[in-house]
Amino acid sequence: MTTDKSTVKVAIVHEWLEHYAGSERVVGELLAVFPQAQVFSIVDFLPEKERAFLGGRKITTTFIQKLPFARKHFRNYLGLMPLAVEQLDLSGFDLVFSSNHAVAKGIITGPDQYHISYVHSPMRYAWDMQAAYLKQSGLTTGLKGLFVRWLLHRIRNWDVRSATGVDVFVANSRYIARRIRKVYRRDAEVIHPPVDTDAFNLPADPANRDAYLVAGRQVPYKRVDLVVEAFRRMPQRQLIVVGDGPENAKIRALAAGAPNIILKGKVPHSELLSLMQNARAFVFASEEDFGITLVEAQACGTPVISFGRGGALDIVLDDTLSESPTGLLFNEQSADSIMKTIEHFEKIRDKISDQGCRDNALRFSKAAFRSHIIDLTDRILTEGF
């Protein structure tokens, strides 16, 4: 096989194209490294205004694209997705990337093709989060629940089998690498996803940084309620809450009568940037596979106070681990733990520099991602596995 990347025939297989989000950023950066690549996806319903990262490419889709009601309900065809992804003809390519959080890694490749799977996460709802998924979906009992359990059992078997077709696993964090090891019994290299650190930068004229900030979609697992509860019990400290979602009514009820808590709702990027740049610290209470918003806050020079599980362990330099900390990690998802950590943060705040936070965030920049991908593919193309 040729080692000249410009002549290597590259395919990128993405799960589905519906919205431009974190996994699509990865595809966009892969396309920046391999501009000659072709893109495949189970379905493509991405709005025209969000397609710029595809560079006008025609996307090859599967038969699910044309099934009834697929535009709005393609996830209902989950049981057909393993079959669909196996039908993609990738025989003309030297190097195949799969962008996987469900079934993309199940593509079929030959012995002279290299298959690199960038894993955002193994299928959460089929593995360790199955119980939570069934409960949240109201599928713990009844015939429909029994059918879904059977379907997820079948998908788990296929998921493990299809892992044998991957030559190199790449995880987006050490946490996901551990999940890959647990599920597939395979080691994974860690290449963190690209973050647009240029869009989040240090303030030209920083304010006093008095208020704490929590931002994100208000859904149960984000645990914004814990942050609000903690600050409701710390009336001397101000909290700004950005975002909306199904938990919004609960959040508003918790914040009622607490003048130190300001609810902003959903705000444009320019306002979020200003709030991040001028926050005393960014507070984060959920367990994430990676945690892009943590990097964005650090890129603004803002310390992060986060639950110490998941991708946050890769991002936040805690004062117990670094002489130049960029934030603190708390051990329990509870208001008490958050309060205790904030009190400690106030004592060590002067040890954290804006530039130190910014420098830490640059480890996760788009340029860093491209460099790691180039190093990986250069090694594979020249040395093999």
Side-chain angles (χ1 to χ4, degrees), residues 75-320:
R75 289 177 178 81
N76 291 345
Y77 293 114
L78 176 64
L80 292 175
M81 288 184 184
L83 173 64
V85 79
E86 288 174 347
Q87 306 312 305
L88 292 172
D89 182 7
L90 303 171
S91 58
F93 297 94
D94 304 311
L95 179 63
V96 181
F97 283 91
S98 58
S99 168
N100 182 87
H101 59 76
V103 301
K105 71 168 178 42
I107 53 175
I108 296 174
T109 54
D112 295 323
Q113 296 174 292
Y114 292 144
H115 176 190
I116 301 172
S117 186
Y118 189 94
V119 179
H120 309 282
S121 174
M123 253 185 289
R124 304 177 188 89
Y125 42 85
W127 291 99
D128 52 311
M129 294 185 68
Q130 175 187 270
Y133 164 74
L134 292 172
K135 183 177 180 180
Q136 184 178 348
S137 304
L139 295 170
T140 55
T141 59
L143 288 176
K144 188 175 180 181
L146 182 62
F147 169 75
V148 172
R149 289 173 187 272
W150 171 82
L151 176 62
L152 293 178
H153 170 72
R154 293 287 300 272
I155 286 177
R156 276 193 295 274
N157 289 340
W158 174 87
D159 195 28
V160 172
R161 184 209 61 76
S162 64
T164 62
V166 176
D167 295 304
V168 175
F169 275 107
V170 178
N172 69 357
S173 67
R174 290 180 294 168
Y175 173 63
I176 294 302
R178 292 197 301 274
R179 295 191 74 215
I180 290 169
R181 181 65 186 168
K182 181 74 172 181
V183 173
Y184 306 134
R185 299 298 177 185
R186 296 279 301 278
D187 292 328
E189 300 198 27
V190 176
I191 298 180
H192 298 110
V195 181
D196 190 358
T197 51
D198 291 337
F200 293 85
N201 42 48
L202 293 172
D205 184 19
N208 293 326
R209 289 188 180 270
D210 290 329
Y212 290 80
L213 174 68
V214 58
R217 184 158 171 74
Q218 294 171 0
V219 293
Y221 87 92
K222 292 284 189 180
R223 302 314 312 264
V224 177
D225 59 317
L226 294 180
V227 181
V228 172
E229 172 63 22
F231 278 84
R232 191 177 65 81
R233 292 157 57 184
M234 295 187 295
Q236 76 279 19
R237 308 203 189 284
Q238 187 179 61
L239 175 70
I240 297 174
V241 183
V242 171
D244 60 12
E247 292 269 284
N248 186 256
K250 178 181 180 180
I251 300 303
R252 289 188 174 280
L254 280 172
N260 63 312
I261 300 175
I262 301 171
L263 304 179
K264 287 279 191 179
K266 190 174 182 179
V267 301
H269 171 77
S270 58
E271 185 175 352
L272 176 61
L273 173 62
S274 178
L275 290 169
M276 278 190 171
Q277 288 174 328
N278 295 293
R280 186 159 184 80
F282 186 82
V283 188
F284 195 78
S286 71
E287 180 179 338
E288 296 281 358
D289 298 333
F290 178 63
I292 287 176
T293 54
L294 304 184
V295 178
E296 292 171 343
Q298 298 264 270
C300 294
T302 300
V304 169
I305 298 171
S306 175
F307 179 46
R309 292 280 295 274
L313 293 172
D314 289 15
I315 298 169
V316 181
L317 302 180
D318 186 89
D319 75 330
T320 62

Side-chain angles (χ1 to χ4, degrees), residues 29 194-195 197 362 364-372 374:
E29 293 306 309
V195 181
T197 51
L362 293 179
F364 311 98
S365 68
K366 293 192 290 185
F369 176 84
R370 295 182 190 183
S371 176
H372 292 316
I374 290 170

Side-chain angles (χ1 to χ4, degrees), residues 288-351:
E288 296 281 358
D289 298 333
F290 178 63
I292 287 176
T293 54
L294 304 184
V295 178
E296 292 171 343
Q298 298 264 270
C300 294
T302 300
V304 169
I305 298 171
S306 175
F307 179 46
R309 292 280 295 274
L313 293 172
D314 289 15
I315 298 169
V316 181
L317 302 180
D318 186 89
D319 75 330
T320 62
L321 302 173
S322 173
E323 295 182 358
S324 302
T326 65
L328 292 177
L329 300 169
F330 53 91
N331 296 324
E332 296 180 1
Q333 279 183 310
S334 69
D336 287 339
S337 186
I338 294 171
M339 292 171 64
K340 182 180 178 180
T341 305
I342 286 174
E343 293 304 319
H344 179 56
F345 171 78
E346 288 293 336
K347 296 175 183 178
I348 60 101
R349 176 65 180 88
D350 290 343
K351 292 174 60 178

